[in-house]
Amino acid sequence: MADSPLRRLPSVNDLLERDEVQPAIEEFGRDLVVRMIREEIGSLRQKIASGQGNGELPENALIHNVRRRCEAQFQPVFRRVINGTGILLHTNLGRAPLAESAARAAYQAARGYLNLELDLATGKRSSRQAPIKPLLMELTGAESATVVNNNAAATLIVLRVVASGKEVILSRGQLVEIGGSFRIPEIMSVSGAILREVGTTNITRPSDYENAVGPNTAALLQVHPSNYRITGFTETVSIESMVAIGKKHQIPVIDDIGSGALIDFSRYGLEDEPVARKSIAAGADLVMFSGDKLLGGPQAGIIVGSRKWIDRIEKDPLMRAFRLDKMTLAALETTLRLHTTQDRARKFIPLYRQLEMPLEQVQRLAEDLAGRLRSIPGLGQVKAREDVSFVGGGSVPSQEIASWVVEIRHDRLSEEELAHLLRHQPVPILPRVQKGQVLLDVRTLMEEDMEVVVAQMAALTSS
Ligand SMILES: *Cc1c(COP(=O)(O)O)cnc(C)c1O
């Protein structure tokens, strides 16, 4: 028993006295170092107990491990990852990357004070909506505007203010679920509005709305079926026709357009994306959309429409519960300012750059990356080939965009093993894994990602 390996383990107090431990105590505090020494010794004990090793870990290695454990405590779980999936608006990866200027605005807002609710001209209190409102009015042609936490919140507050206790008429073709927990019928019931379904899944006609209007009707609702399409024998009612019916019966028309296209995206091959300005021009009373989909900004729910309704929404108690924080507002303002000239939006908003990058350029990037990866010994077969990217983001997930990918077949690892290894890099790389292949879609790689991918791959095969 005297020479049991367990007995040879140093004590916590011994270790704490060592000179080599003092820098860690200085940096992380004594309490944490004590905790981490206990954990490290505990894990050595377990190893000995389970017969792996004899506890002969040299003391300097033990101290090194304690330091690593301390550092790990401060390593955030949220961190930059490399999106090789080819999904531009990936909800699990934070949707739209911000323009550099928008990210900087959020950073500045975060690290100090700002005039969030203060008018610098008068020195008086102002609204945090004030800088955003005129921008949204300019960009959509609406009479007024307000912003909340996301489009789900926007839909909820709009329905509550316009239709609590009353009926909202909605086509059965638009009873959608968008990304997990956003289901129109459930949002409707939480808001206190009563859902009045009309038409069928594939066919809804103006007369269906017309016939459903009654004394308890508060609104006509249009919801963009963002993540699916009904094709074949179909008929839908345009926002113009809905507005005509609404006007005739003096009922407001609400349009949840979803992805928040400020311009016509058909030039990028994205068909049927409703444009906010068009819906307002058609006469919709309230139009809602997300900030982090096709707008390319931070998470937000944008509501534009008539002053009468926006004023009432802003007085609702939910407005306070749904309000945006200073960082998001700063990033949103900067993003919207970029949108005021299309050239700047296209130049500086990453989503636009990704959508617009010509196929030949994507091909060149893919071939370049493949060439560099091929020169790494032991990585296996690497080739560039054509494939497709997806817009994603619960808005237009099935919209395909022609792209190029780098396909990697590792000499020894299966595709799942390689993907696992890539996820565990210092800057995790998320590839698309399909049919025995690991693919990196270069359309979703950021400029600075290329070097990192090559360096990490090189380190991976040499270790
Ligand atoms: C995405 C989407 C929503 C939800 O928006 P969030 O900003 O994610 O809350 C609601 N309605 C439609 C039509 C959408 O496309």
Side-chain angles (χ1 to χ4, degrees), residues 95 150-152 178 182 223-224 226 256 258 290 293 394:
R95 291 195 183 156
N150 56 17
N151 196 19
I178 291 153
F182 184 91
V223 178
H224 184 59
S226 302
D256 174 8
S290 300
K293 292 181 182 171

Side-chain angles (χ1 to χ4, degrees), residues 100-133:
E100 195 59 38
S101 57
R104 260 204 309 273
Y107 171 75
Q108 287 298 346
R111 69 182 306 281
Y113 300 107
L114 80 159
N115 53 334
L116 183 64
E117 292 182 350
L118 187 95
D119 181 349
L120 289 175
T122 62
K124 296 224 158 60
R125 187 175 193 277
S126 70
S127 157
R128 64 176 67 201
Q129 300 280 348
I132 309 287
K133 218 177 261 273

Side-chain angles (χ1 to χ4, degrees), residues 86-91 293-294 390-399:
I87 298 167
L88 276 61
L89 296 171
H90 199 308
T91 300
K293 292 181 182 171
L294 294 180
F390 297 89
V391 179
S395 52
V396 266
S398 56
Q399 278 282 358

Side-chain angles (χ1 to χ4, degrees), residues 290-309:
S290 300
D292 53 358
K293 292 181 182 171
L294 294 180
L295 197 71
Q299 179 187 305
I302 295 166
I303 310 171
V304 297
S306 72
R307 191 172 304 120
K308 174 189 130 187
W309 284 115

